Every structure is written in structure tokens, then in C-alpha cells.
Amino acid sequence: MASSGGVITEITYNHPTIGSGVIYAKGSEDSTYDLGGIRNNDDANMIDGAGNAIWSMNPVRPSFEVVIGWDWNADTLGALVAMSGSIDEGTWTFTNINGVIYKLVGKPVGDIQGNGNASTIQLKIQGSGVMQIL
């Protein structure tokens, strides 16, 4: 069976204090998913004297990253900054051109800067728990 992927067609958010909205990814841009969950540290020296592995396991936050179009009229940049500064997490969905939808509970992280000439924003959302397919 062939694999399918492609652009993100729609991003939605629903935040308890900021409200809800729709954001559109820039066409033909890469997107990155990390479903989160438990990861084992990659350390070849984590072994005991008898040759048994020592597993060092740690939780990792789920994340999604993509370049979005900056809608100046909808104050997309302001909404993202407000959500980043809020103590509350919002519910996010990421719809792919192949019809697959992922859901993440979280907020924007890192620098939130708008590129005025390109009218784009590099968006990274991280959250709690694990990202789920709807």
C-alpha cells in the first residue's frame, strides 16, 4: 500500500479564554509531528556489568510545527501570543490533505514572530499527554 502525505489544509484552535479560530498553513511547506509519550534515552553506555540494558525512560511533550499564513486582519499573531502567555491550554486540530486529522491539547511555544514581507509565521504547538488521530 502506498503512503500518503502532503500539505496541511486547516488548523483549528479552541481556547477557553482566547476563543476559537481557523489558521491556514502555507502551501507546499513541510510539517513536523511528534506524538509525544515515553522515549528511551539513546545511550550505548546504559548497560550493567552483566550486559543487561538499563532503560532510562522519560516523557516527551507532543508537538506540531508548520509555517502558516499570517492573516493580519484576524490578528493571528496577537491571538498566538495571547495563547502562549495564557496558563490555559487550548485544543488544536491539524487537518492533512489526505483527510487525516490530529488533535493536540497545548499552546504555542518558542518565538512567535511574523514575517511581514512573506506574511507568514513559523508556528510550533506543544502540549500535554499524546497527540491523537481523530
Side-chain angles (χ1 to χ4, degrees), residues 1 3 15 20 27 33 40 43 49 53 57 62 67-68 78 80 86 91 95-96 99 106 112 124 128:
M1 175 186 253
S3 298
H15 191 273
S20 60
Y33 293 81
N40 289 291
D43 184 347
M57 300 167 61
V67 175
I68 63 170
L80 293 172
S86 173
T91 300
T95 303
N96 297 268
I112 304 171
K124 185 171 188 178
S128 299

Side-chain angles (χ1 to χ4, degrees), residues 4 8 19 21 26-27 30 32 38-41 50 53 55 59 71 73 79 91 93 96 105 114 117-119 125 127:
S4 66
I8 305 303
K26 183 175 181 284
D30 287 334
T32 305
I38 305 298
R39 300 291 193 280
N40 289 291
N41 289 334
W55 297 111
D71 185 350
N73 296 318
T91 300
T93 63
N96 297 268
V105 176
N117 189 49
S119 200
I125 307 296

Side-chain angles (χ1 to χ4, degrees), residues 40-56:
N40 289 291
N41 289 334
D42 182 13
D43 184 347
N45 294 317
M46 292 295 290
I47 193 162
D48 67 19
N52 299 307
I54 300 171
W55 297 111
S56 178

Side-chain angles (χ1 to χ4, degrees), residues 59-132:
V60 173
R61 291 194 296 200
S63 67
F64 173 80
E65 190 168 357
V66 71
V67 175
I68 63 170
W70 177 11
D71 185 350
W72 294 45
N73 296 318
D75 193 20
T76 303
L77 187 62
L80 293 172
V81 169
M83 284 185 271
S84 180
S86 173
I87 61 169
D88 297 316
E89 294 178 319
T91 300
W92 295 79
T93 63
F94 314 104
T95 303
N96 297 268
I97 197 166
N98 61 7
V100 175
I101 302 172
Y102 282 88
K103 174 185 165 190
L104 171 64
V105 176
K107 61 164 92 182
V109 297
D111 289 334
I112 304 171
Q113 301 172 338
N115 181 319
N117 189 49
S119 200
T120 59
I121 300 169
Q122 181 70 40
L123 177 64
K124 185 171 188 178
I125 307 296
Q126 287 189 337
S128 299
V130 295
M131 190 181 318
Q132 303 170 335

